C-alpha cells in the first residue's frame, strides 16, 4: 500500500493503478468520458484533468490527465483547484459545441453520462452561436438506434466494438471536427455483442431501439436483479418493467462472470415475455372446471414427472416431490443426461478448478475442444478474446507500460497474442485470433488425447493419428506446459463423451506435472448443471414407465425424441399436464395447460456451467394466475393430498430442499433469504427519482393503489425501502447522487472494475481442490 494526498487528505491505496480509477474507488468525483474500467485508458477526452504537485512545497502544480497517471507513493494532487476546474469546464464546453439541445426527446435522457459530467463540471450556459455540425444517421438494424449528432468523439464505441469485442463492421471515418462513427454503409451490426454500445456510449449516439418501441423514462422503471436464462454462463442482468411489461434488459456487473457486458441474445431476447405465444390462463381440453380435472388427475393416481434444464432448482424439486424420486425424469436427451453427469463428476472430483469467465480472461493459453463458445455461450467466447491479449500485456509490462494504458499496450505489442488452439467443427468468430485450428470432426478427440499423452506418456492415445495432427499436438503441448494459467474449454453439445474424457486427461496430465489448469465444460441450458445435481432418471427410460398422469415442467418433449415415440408416450397416460409460459408442440397434446411464469415473473435459483448458484428475482408482480412453477406444483400437491397445505412461500420450499439436498444448504448460507432486511427495511426496486406513481392507474381510480407485495424476496415493488447499497446479489439498479448513468456502478464497488465490498453475487459449489481422477480415460477405438 502507498499513501497519496488528495486536496489535503491522505489516503492509503494500492500502487500501480491509474489515478482516475483509484480516486473513483475512494468515492471522489472526477468527470471522465473515454476511460472505461474494462478497456483501460487512452487519454483522449481530456476531461479527467487534475493538478499534480511535485511536493508539499510546490504551490503551482501542473495539470495532468488522471486516467494516464500511475499511482505512486507520495503523490499529491488536487481535484478542486480553481484552475483545473476551469480547465475541465472549458473542455466540456468545447465537446458540447455541436451537441444538440435535445435532452427532453433523447432516449438517453435521465441516464446520460454526458448530462452527469456537464453538471459535475459546472458548464451551464453555451456561448456557441454558430451553426452546428450535422451528420446523416445510419440504420444499424433492429436493435440499435444511431444519432451521430450527439457524438462527443470519446472513441469508446470503436475501442469496444473493434478492439475489445473483435467486430469489424463499425469504424471511425473522417477527421478533426467531422469524425463519424458508424458502418461503411447502412446495415445490421454483425457482432453478437453490439448491444453493449448502448451502455458503453456516454451519450445518446447508440440507444436501445427495442426500448424506443415502448419507451418510458428511465427513472420510472421498476427494476430487479436477475440472471440471464439464454445459456449456461449465468450473466447478471437488470430486468426493467413499466405498466406490467418488461421494457428492457441491461447489464448487472459481476466481476467473476460477465463484468460490464452481456451478449445481444441476453439483452434483446426478452420479447417472448409479452409475445403472442404466451400461456396466460389455465386451459383444459374438456369442458369441466380446471380444479375438478386436476383433482381427478392427481388424487389417487400414479404421477410421472419430467423436469427441465431451463426451470429453477425449486421448480424441479417441487415436481420431484409431487411425482416421487422413482418417477422423476430429467427432461433432457439420453446423451445430454449422461454427459452432464460425467461433467458433474469431473467438477466434483477435481483436480481442475471450474474456470469462470474471469479465470478465462486471465489465462495465458487456451485450448478449445469440440465447442464453438461464440454460439454456445457468447460471453465465454468474448472472455477468450480477452485472454488472447495477455501476452501483449506481459510484453508491455516488461517495458514499464501498465496494463491499464490501453494505447501504450497496443503500440508496444502490436499483433502479439497468447496462444489459442481450437479443435471444433466448422468456422468460428474466434478464428482470427487462433494460432492453430482443426475442423475435422473425426480427429478432434484424437488430437486432445494426443496432447494429454504428450504431456504425460502414461496417458493413452490413438496410435493411428495423421502426422499433421501429431505435430499439432506437440505445438499445443508446448504452449500448455509453458503457460502459468492454462484453461481447457469443452462442452457437452457435441454429444460425444470421448471429447469430455480427452479434456479431462489433459487436465490430469497437467496436474501430474504440478500445473493447475482451469476446465470449462459448457452446458446447453441455463440450469443444466443444476438439474444434474438432482435425483432423476434419463428421459429415454420413461418410455417404459407406467403411470396415470404425466406432468411436464417447462419442456417440449418433441425436442427430445422422434415424433412417433413422443406421440406414443403421451397417449399412454390418462392425463397430460404441462406447466409452461409459452405454447410449443407438446402443449398441443396436453390435457391441461398451467401458465407458469417466465424468469421475469418468478424467483428461483439456477446453477451455471462453472457450478455457480445464483438467484434471480421477479420484476413483474404476481397476478394470481401466472405463478412460479413451484407454486403451481405446490397447489397440485395440496389437491393430491386432499387439501393438505404445502409450500406457500419461497422460504418454505427452500427449507425443504435444503433437507433433501445438502448442496442447497451452501446456497442458503450465502444468498440472502426472503426475510433479509437492512435496517429493518426491504430494498426498493424503484430509484428515489421514481415519479408519477399516483398517476399510473388514474384512468381507473384517482386513489393511489397499494404497491404489490413480494413475500418471496427482500425486495419492494416501490421506491420505499433501504436507501443505501444492498448486498451484491440484491442490487436492483445503479444510481447515486450526481451519477444517473450505468457509470454509477463505481459507487457500488471497491473500485471500478473491482469487486463488491461483500463479495460478488452467487456461490460456487465446486472449488477443484479434490485429489482428481484415479486413472486416465481410454479413447474410443
Amino acid at each position: 500500500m502507498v499513501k497519496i494526498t488528495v486536496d489535503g487528505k491522505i489516503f492509503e491505496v494500492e500502487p500501480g493503478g491509474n489515478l482516475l480509477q483509484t480516486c473513483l474507488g475512494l468515492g471522489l468525483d472526477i468527470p471522465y468520458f473515454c476511460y472505461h474500467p474494462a478497456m483501460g485508458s487512452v487519454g483522449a477526452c481530456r476531461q479527467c484533468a487534475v493538478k499534480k504537485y511535485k511536493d508539499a512545497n510546490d504551490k503551482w502544480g501542473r495539470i495532468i490527465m488522471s486516467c494516464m497517471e500511475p499511482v505512486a507513493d507520495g503523490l499529491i494532487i488536487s481535484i478542486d483547484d480553481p484552475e483545473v476546474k476551469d480547465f475541465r469546464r472549458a473542455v466540456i464546453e468545447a465537446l458540447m459545441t455541436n451537441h444538440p439541445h435535445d435532452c427532453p426527446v433523447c432516449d438517453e435522457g435521465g441516464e446520460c453520462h454526458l448530462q452527469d459530467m456537464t453538471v459535475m463540471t459546472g458548464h451551464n450556459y453555451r456561448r456557441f452561436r454558430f451553426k452546428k455540425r450535422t451528420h446523416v444517421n445510419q440504420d444499424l438494424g433492429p436493435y440499435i438506434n444511431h444519432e451521430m449528432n450527439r457524438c462527443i468523439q470519446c472513441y469508446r464505441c470503436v475501442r469496444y466494438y473493434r478492439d475489445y469485442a473483435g467486430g469489424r463492421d463499425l469504424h471511425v471515418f473522417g477527421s478533426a471536427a467531422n469524425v463519424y462513427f458508424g458502418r461503411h454503409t447502412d446495415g445490421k451490426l454483425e457482432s453478437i455483442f453490439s448491444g453493449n454500445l448502448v451502455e458503453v456510449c456516454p451519450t445518446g449516439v447508440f440507444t436501445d431501439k427495442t426500448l424506443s418501441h415502448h419507451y418510458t423514462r428511465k427513472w420510472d422503471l421498476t427494476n430487479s436483479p436477475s440472471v440471464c436464462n439464454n445459456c449456461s454462463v449465468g450473466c447478471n442482468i437488470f430486468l426493467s418493467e413499466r405498466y406490467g411489461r418488461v421494457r428492457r434488459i441491461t447489464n448487472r456487473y459481476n466481476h467473476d462472470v460477465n463484468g460490464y457486458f452481456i451478449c445481444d441474445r441476453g439483452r434483446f431476447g426478452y420479447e417472448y415475455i409479452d409475445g403472442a405465444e404466451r400461456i396466460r390462463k389455465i386451459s383444459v381440453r374438456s369442458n369441466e372446471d380446471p380444479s375438478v380435472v386436476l383433482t381427478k388427475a392427481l388424487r389417487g393416481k400414479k404421477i410421472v414427472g419430467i423436469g427441465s434444464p431451463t426451470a429453477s432448482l425449486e421448480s424441479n424439486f417441487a415436481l420431484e416431490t409431487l411425482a416421487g424420486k422413482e418417477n422423476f425424469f430429467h427432461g433432457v436427451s439420453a446423451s445430454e443426461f449422461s454427459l452432464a453427469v460425467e461433467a458433474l463428476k469431473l467438477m466434483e472430483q477435481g483436480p481442475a478448478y471450474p474456470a469462470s469467465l474471469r479465470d478465462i480472461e486471465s489465462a495465458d493459453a487456451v485450448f478449445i475442444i469440440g465447442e464453438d463458445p461464440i454460439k454456445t455461450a457468447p460471453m465465454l467466447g468474448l472472455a477468450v478474446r480477452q485472454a488472447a491479449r495477455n501476452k501483449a500485456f506481459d510484453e508491455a509490462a516488461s517495458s514499464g507500460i501498465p496494463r491499464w494504458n490501453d494505447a501504450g499496450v497496443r503500440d508496444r505489442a502490436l499483433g502479439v497474442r497468447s496462444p489459442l488452439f481450437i479443435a471444433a467443427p466448422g468456422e468460428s468468430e474466434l478464428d482470427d485470433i487462433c494460432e492453430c485450428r482443426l475442423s475435422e470432426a473425426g480427429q478432434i478427440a484424437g488430437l486432445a488425447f494426443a496432447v494429454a499423452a504428450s504431456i504425460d506418456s502414461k496417458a493413452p492415445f490413438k496410435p493411428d493419428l495423421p502426422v499433421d495432427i501429431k505435430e499439432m499436438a506437440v505445438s499445443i503441448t508446448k504452449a500448455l506446459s509453458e503457460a502459468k494459467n492454462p484453461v481447457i474449454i469443452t462442452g457437452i453439445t457435441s454429444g460425444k463423451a470421448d471429447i469430455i474424457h480427452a479434456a479431462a486427461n489433459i487436465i490430469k496430465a497437467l496436474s501430474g506435472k504440478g500445473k493447475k489448469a482451469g476446465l470449462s465444460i459448457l452446458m446447453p441450458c441455463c440450469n443444466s448443471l443444476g438439474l444434474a445435481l438432482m435425483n432423476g432418471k434419463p428421459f429415454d427410460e420413461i418410455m417404459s414407465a407406467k403411470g396415470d398422469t404425466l406432468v411436464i415442467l417447462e419442456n417440449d418433449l418433441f425436442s427430445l425424441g422422434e415424433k412417433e415415440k413422443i406421440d406414443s408416450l403421451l397417449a399412454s397416460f390418462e392425463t397430460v399436464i404441462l406447466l409452461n409460459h409459452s405454447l410449443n408442440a407438446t402443449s398441443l397434446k396436453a390435457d391441461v395447460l398451467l401458465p407458469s411464469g417466465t424468469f421475469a415473473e418468478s424467483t428461483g435459483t439456477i446453477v451455471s456451467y462453472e457450478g455457480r448458484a445464483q438467484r434471480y428475482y421477479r420484476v413483474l408482480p404476481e397476478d394470481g394466475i401466472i405463478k412460479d412453477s413451484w407454486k403451481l406444483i405446490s397447489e397440485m400437491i395440496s389437491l393430491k393430498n386432499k387439501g393438505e397445505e404445502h409450500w406457500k412461500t419461497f422460504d418454505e420450499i427452500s427449507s425443504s430442499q435444503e433437507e433433501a439436498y445438502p448442496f442447497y444448504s451452501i446456497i442458503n448460507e450465502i444468498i440472502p433469504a426472503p426475510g433479509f432486511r437492512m435496517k429493518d427495511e426491504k430494498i426498493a426496486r424503484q430509484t428515489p427519482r421514481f415519479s408519477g406513481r399516483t398517476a399510473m392507474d388514474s384512468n381507473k381510480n384517482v386513489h393511489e393503489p397499494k404497491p404489490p407485495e413480494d413475500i418471496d424476496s427482500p425486495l419492494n415493488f416501490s421506491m420505499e425501502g433501504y436507501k443505501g447499497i444492498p448486498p451484491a446479489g440484491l442490487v436492483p439498479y445503479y444510481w447515486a447522487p450526481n451519477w444517473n448513468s450505468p457509470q454509477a456502478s463505481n459507487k457500488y464497488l471497491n473500485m471500478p472494475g473491482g469487486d463488491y465490498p461483500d463479495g460478488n453475487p452467487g456461490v460456487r459449489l465446486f472449488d477443484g481442490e479434490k485429489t482428481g481422477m484415479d486413472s486416465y480415460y481410454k479413447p474410443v477405438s
Side-chain angles (χ1 to χ4, degrees), residues 34-150:
C34 63
Y35 165 76
H36 190 283
M39 298 185 288
S41 305
V42 291
C45 71
R46 322 308 288 171
Q47 188 62 69
C48 65
V50 297
K51 184 165 279 191
K52 176 184 177 182
Y53 300 91
K54 292 181 180 179
D55 50 44
N57 297 320
D58 184 0
K59 303 301 181 184
W60 295 96
R62 63 186 179 92
I63 294 176
I64 62 166
M65 300 305 120
S66 59
C67 73
M68 301 301 292
E69 180 71 18
V71 171
D73 194 30
L75 181 64
I76 303 174
I77 67 158
S78 173
I79 299 172
D80 294 331
D81 179 85
E83 185 182 6
V84 79
K85 290 173 73 174
D86 286 341
F87 180 91
R88 293 196 296 260
R89 191 180 299 115
V91 168
I92 203 163
E93 182 177 20
L95 293 175
M96 294 289 284
T97 53
N98 288 299
H99 194 83
H101 298 194
D102 66 344
C103 294
V105 298
C106 177
D107 285 4
E108 195 76 358
E111 201 175 71
C112 178
H113 186 59
L114 177 60
Q115 285 179 331
D116 291 345
M117 299 301 97
T118 304
V119 173
M120 191 178 293
T121 56
H123 172 56
N124 298 321
Y125 300 100
R126 302 198 182 180
R127 296 180 292 175
F128 187 77
R129 294 292 180 266
F130 305 97
K131 186 177 180 180
K132 291 180 180 290
R133 173 213 61 214
T134 57
H135 291 292
V136 176
N137 301 317
Q138 291 184 315
D139 181 358
L140 298 179
Y143 303 129
I144 307 294
N145 269 324
H146 187 235
E147 178 52 78
M148 255 307 296
N149 295 320
R150 298 174 183 149

Side-chain angles (χ1 to χ4, degrees), residues 534-555:
M534 302 183 67
N535 299 313
K537 299 178 181 178
F539 176 73
D540 57 339
E541 291 185 16
I542 200 174
M543 300 302 177
S544 58
K546 303 296 181 182
D548 304 308
T549 300
L550 177 64
V551 181
I552 305 167
L553 173 63
E554 298 180 27
N555 218 323

Side-chain angles (χ1 to χ4, degrees), residues 396-547:
S398 67
S399 299
I401 302 172
R403 187 185 185 96
W404 47 261
N405 188 339
D406 188 55
V409 171
R410 293 184 187 280
D411 288 343
R412 169 62 180 82
L414 190 64
V416 173
R417 296 193 186 99
S418 297
L420 166 64
F421 306 95
I422 301 177
E427 297 179 349
S428 170
E429 290 184 21
L430 297 174
D431 288 349
D432 64 314
I433 57 171
C434 178
E435 184 173 313
C436 189
R437 182 76 155 87
L438 173 66
S439 300
E440 190 176 344
Q443 299 287 3
I444 291 172
L447 170 63
F449 277 114
V451 171
S454 296
I455 299 170
D456 183 358
S457 58
K458 297 177 183 177
F461 65 98
K462 295 181 177 181
D464 55 344
L465 288 175
V467 175
D468 60 330
I469 302 293
K470 293 179 181 178
E471 291 175 351
M472 196 180 297
V474 172
S475 175
I476 296 172
T477 298
K478 183 176 184 296
L480 294 178
S481 300
E482 293 176 353
K484 297 178 182 177
N485 302 303
V487 168
I488 310 299
I489 298 172
T490 185
I492 71 174
T493 56
S494 66
K496 297 179 180 178
D498 227 20
I499 288 177
I500 305 293
H501 293 162
N505 277 10
I506 295 174
I507 294 294
K508 179 175 173 59
L510 289 170
S511 176
K513 301 298 181 182
K515 189 179 295 293
K516 190 173 183 180
L519 176 64
S520 293
I521 305 177
L522 295 177
M523 299 286 162
C525 299
C526 63
N527 201 28
S528 293
L529 194 63
L531 185 62
L533 283 164
M534 302 183 67
N535 299 313
K537 299 178 181 178
F539 176 73
D540 57 339
E541 291 185 16
I542 200 174
M543 300 302 177
S544 58
K546 303 296 181 182

Side-chain angles (χ1 to χ4, degrees), residues 4-252:
I4 65 172
T5 304
V6 183
D7 288 313
K9 294 183 179 179
I10 298 175
F11 298 93
E12 200 168 275
V13 298
E14 291 282 349
N18 78 63
L19 181 58
L20 173 61
Q21 183 181 31
T22 299
C23 288
L24 292 172
L26 294 171
L28 305 173
D29 289 346
I30 300 178
Y32 65 92
F33 286 119
C34 63
Y35 165 76
H36 190 283
M39 298 185 288
S41 305
V42 291
C45 71
R46 322 308 288 171
Q47 188 62 69
C48 65
V50 297
K51 184 165 279 191
K52 176 184 177 182
Y53 300 91
K54 292 181 180 179
D55 50 44
N57 297 320
D58 184 0
K59 303 301 181 184
W60 295 96
R62 63 186 179 92
I63 294 176
I64 62 166
M65 300 305 120
S66 59
C67 73
M68 301 301 292
E69 180 71 18
V71 171
D73 194 30
L75 181 64
I76 303 174
I77 67 158
S78 173
I79 299 172
D80 294 331
D81 179 85
E83 185 182 6
V84 79
K85 290 173 73 174
D86 286 341
F87 180 91
R88 293 196 296 260
R89 191 180 299 115
V91 168
I92 203 163
E93 182 177 20
L95 293 175
M96 294 289 284
T97 53
N98 288 299
H99 194 83
H101 298 194
D102 66 344
C103 294
V105 298
C106 177
D107 285 4
E108 195 76 358
E111 201 175 71
C112 178
H113 186 59
L114 177 60
Q115 285 179 331
D116 291 345
M117 299 301 97
T118 304
V119 173
M120 191 178 293
T121 56
H123 172 56
N124 298 321
Y125 300 100
R126 302 198 182 180
R127 296 180 292 175
F128 187 77
R129 294 292 180 266
F130 305 97
K131 186 177 180 180
K132 291 180 180 290
R133 173 213 61 214
T134 57
H135 291 292
V136 176
N137 301 317
Q138 291 184 315
D139 181 358
L140 298 179
Y143 303 129
I144 307 294
N145 269 324
H146 187 235
E147 178 52 78
M148 255 307 296
N149 295 320
R150 298 174 183 149
C151 183
I152 58 168
Q153 294 87 46
C154 70
Y155 284 83
R156 268 193 187 185
C157 56
V158 292
R159 288 180 58 217
Y160 163 74
Y161 195 88
R162 297 181 67 84
D163 298 341
Y164 191 92
R168 285 293 171 265
D169 60 317
L170 183 138
H171 214 321
V172 55
F173 304 94
S175 62
N178 289 308
V179 173
Y180 190 94
F181 297 91
R183 301 182 83 249
H184 67 285
T185 183
D186 286 16
K188 179 184 174 182
L189 288 167
E190 296 171 0
S191 173
I192 196 173
F193 308 108
S194 65
N196 292 304
L197 291 171
V198 174
E199 293 182 57
V200 166
C201 178
T203 74
V205 177
F206 301 99
T207 54
D208 186 343
K209 187 178 285 189
T210 65
L211 174 62
S212 66
H213 294 161
H214 41 218
Y215 184 69
T216 188
R217 283 301 187 186
K218 311 296 178 63
W219 55 80
D220 280 337
L221 291 169
T222 298
N223 312 280
S224 274
S226 188
V227 180
C228 181
N229 66 349
N230 284 289
C231 77
S232 62
V233 170
C235 292
N236 288 200
I237 57 174
F238 289 126
L239 283 171
S240 300
E241 73 85 29
R242 178 72 166 170
Y243 293 124
R245 290 187 63 190
V246 174
R247 302 302 178 104
R248 69 169 183 177
I249 288 176
T250 50
N251 170 74
R252 177 166 63 102

Side-chain angles (χ1 to χ4, degrees), residues 56 79 129 167 185 254 355 360 374 462 511 529 605 610 665 686 749 774:
I79 299 172
R129 294 292 180 266
T185 183
N254 186 329
I360 294 170
I374 293 290
K462 295 181 177 181
S511 176
L529 194 63
T605 312
E610 56 162 317
S665 61
Q686 298 164 355
L749 308 173
D774 294 330

Side-chain angles (χ1 to χ4, degrees), residues 620-645:
L620 296 168
E622 197 171 290
D623 64 1
I625 300 175
I626 297 176
K627 300 179 181 179
D628 298 64
S629 292
W630 66 263
K631 285 189 177 182
L632 293 171
I633 296 172
S634 177
E635 293 172 0
M636 293 167 67
I637 293 174
S638 296
L639 284 175
K640 177 187 177 185
N641 296 337
K642 300 181 179 180
E644 176 187 325
E645 285 202 0

